[in-house]
Amino acid sequence: MGERKSREGVVVSDAMQKTRVVRIERVFRHPRYQRVVRVSKKLKAHDEANESHVGDRVVIEETRPLSKRKRWAVREILEKAS
């Protein structure tokens, strides 16, 4: 079996119970125009203990489908919001 994917992002919503919305940001140079492009996407991640809150930097990892849109889980909190 393959290694589980993991991403680093910032929690943007903690309104749901045991679920966090995490914004993943990707910065890359456009292949033709050479302009720096910043693309973000929001993923729903499972947080069993409700430990993370808005503004926290977290690592999420791929998991089995937990609900209709939730396929990630919070693995660790890297940095708490100030």
Side-chain angles (χ1 to χ4, degrees), residues 8-64:
E8 190 177 310
V10 178
V11 177
V12 292
S13 172
D14 61 358
M16 296 170 276
Q17 292 179 12
K18 298 186 179 183
T19 302
R20 300 294 176 255
V21 179
V22 180
R23 188 180 68 234
I24 309 299
E25 207 167 68
R26 199 166 73 88
V27 181
F28 63 97
R29 194 167 284 280
H30 191 281
R32 173 172 287 171
Y33 302 115
Q34 299 303 310
R35 188 181 197 297
V36 175
V37 181
R38 193 178 289 263
V39 178
S40 67
K41 90 173 31 171
K42 293 194 287 185
L43 302 170
K44 289 181 176 59
H46 184 69
D47 184 11
E48 183 64 37
N50 284 317
E51 291 174 336
S52 59
H53 298 288
V54 175
D56 292 355
R57 182 163 289 285
V58 296
V59 174
I60 59 174
E61 76 175 352
E62 204 174 31
T63 185
R64 66 184 176 81

